């Protein structure tokens, strides 16, 4: 009999450029290869659709997270592994979503601001420094790091594969995704 995954929301939080999308993509592939039911809620895409029109004030950021959390909850209770990739800078809101969803697994995608700024994947730090973008997290808007995440990925110190392996191992340990049978495990 096939062992199915349980529903869980894997919430990746961290600065822009920390590696949330990169880890999410690799994690999605890994979980799909294990036949888990997976759905991705990507912060940027969500802002173009579900939360279009919201800005970056604290109130709007909170509303953004509440709506993502609402959808994540619906999917989670239907047995989906939901991968949320969103800066989600406020501790209180992440806690609120954790309480609501229950099966909540927080991943702190952590790289020092200087590293994220040097990567500047989308050129946003440059714009924030020049004043073109206001309320940019880490530059002129707060980021509250998780106090007790299920997993922390130091993306400046570990490879993408290492980060993904850590997350998968902890998901297995907590019983959210089935462990691979020994024969299926890569050497
Ligand atoms: P975010 O989604 O958090 O804004 P991205 O995933 O878009 O960040 O960008 C992170 C960048 O850092 C990518 O260019 C990625 O290749 C690089 N990177 C280097 N090492 C890692 C790692 N261990 N995990 C994730 N990303 C990494």
């Amino acid at each position: 009999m096939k062992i199915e995954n349980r529903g869980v929301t894997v919430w990746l939080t961290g600065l822009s450029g920390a590696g949330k999308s990169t880890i999410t993509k690799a994690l999605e592939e890994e979980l799909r290869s294990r036949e888990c039911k997976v759905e991705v809620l990507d912060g940027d895409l969500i802002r173009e659709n579900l939360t279009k029109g919201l800005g970056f004030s604290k109130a709007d950021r909170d509303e953004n997270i509440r709506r993502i959390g609402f959808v994540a909850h619906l999917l989670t209770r239907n047995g989906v592994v939901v991968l949320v990739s969103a800066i989600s800078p406020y501790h209180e809101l992440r806690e609120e979503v954790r309480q609501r969803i229950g099966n909540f697994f927080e991943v702190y995608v952590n790289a020092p601001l200087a590293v994220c700024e040097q990567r500047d994947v989308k050129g946003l730090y440059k714009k924030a420094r020049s004043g073109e973008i206001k309320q940019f997290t880490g530059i002129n808007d707060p980021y509250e790091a998780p106090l007790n995440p299920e997993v922390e990925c130091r993306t400046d110190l570990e490879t993408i594969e290492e980060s993904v392996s850590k997350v998968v191992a902890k998901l297995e340990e907590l019983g959210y995704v089935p462990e691979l049978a020994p024969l299926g495990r890569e050497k």
Side-chain angles (χ1 to χ4, degrees), residues 12-24 42 44 85-87 109 111 115-116 119-122 124-125 153-164:
L12 295 97
T13 171
L15 295 173
S16 178
K20 300 180 296 298
S21 305
T22 307
I23 293 174
T24 296
D42 172 84
D44 291 340
S85 163
I87 296 173
V109 183
V115 172
C116 296
R119 288 177 181 161
D120 209 4
V121 189
K122 298 170 205 152
L124 297 176
Y125 281 96
C153 298
R154 276 296 301 264
T155 66
D156 57 323
L157 302 176
E158 47 195 62
T159 65
I160 296 166
E161 292 73 22
E162 283 168 340
S163 296
V164 171

Side-chain angles (χ1 to χ4, degrees), residues 42-53:
D42 172 84
D44 291 340
L45 266 177
I46 292 281
R47 276 189 174 275
E48 285 169 26
N49 296 281
L50 184 67
T51 61
K52 198 178 170 92

Side-chain angles (χ1 to χ4, degrees), residues 46-184:
I46 292 281
R47 276 189 174 275
E48 285 169 26
N49 296 281
L50 184 67
T51 61
K52 198 178 170 92
L54 291 180
F56 293 88
S57 64
K58 175 151 192 323
D60 277 8
R61 285 179 188 270
D62 287 355
E63 181 62 20
N64 183 45
I65 297 310
R66 282 202 182 96
R67 289 191 205 169
I68 296 174
F70 176 76
V71 175
H73 185 205
L74 298 184
L75 291 165
T76 299
R77 73 182 188 196
N78 276 285
V80 177
V81 180
V82 187
L83 307 181
V84 175
S85 163
I87 296 173
S88 40
Y90 294 108
H91 178 70
E92 190 188 350
L93 255 289
R94 295 192 306 266
E95 278 310 298
E96 184 182 309
V97 172
R98 180 190 283 274
Q99 296 310 320
R100 176 168 305 168
I101 296 178
N103 288 2
F104 186 87
F105 184 106
E106 191 173 31
V107 180
Y108 178 22
V109 183
N110 185 10
L113 175 64
V115 172
C116 296
E117 191 165 359
Q118 212 205 340
R119 288 177 181 161
D120 209 4
V121 189
K122 298 170 205 152
L124 297 176
Y125 281 96
K126 197 157 171 267
K127 289 187 181 170
R129 287 289 183 198
S130 72
E132 200 179 320
I133 300 180
K134 309 254 180 309
Q135 296 181 303
F136 193 74
T137 302
I139 303 294
N140 42 25
D141 219 51
Y143 178 76
E144 298 172 358
L147 302 174
N148 201 10
E150 273 68 18
V151 176
E152 177 174 351
C153 298
R154 276 296 301 264
T155 66
D156 57 323
L157 302 176
E158 47 195 62
T159 65
I160 296 166
E161 292 73 22
E162 283 168 340
S163 296
V164 171
S165 295
K166 273 164 65 171
V167 175
V168 172
K170 192 71 180 177
L171 282 168
E172 286 179 349
E173 187 190 317
L174 296 182
Y176 286 122
V177 303
E179 292 189 30
L180 284 185
L183 276 178

Side-chain angles (χ1 to χ4, degrees), residues 25-36:
K25 197 162 171 291
L27 195 54
E28 181 187 12
E29 276 171 30
E30 173 62 30
L31 294 173
R32 283 197 198 283
S33 76
R34 295 171 178 228
E35 296 181 37
C36 291

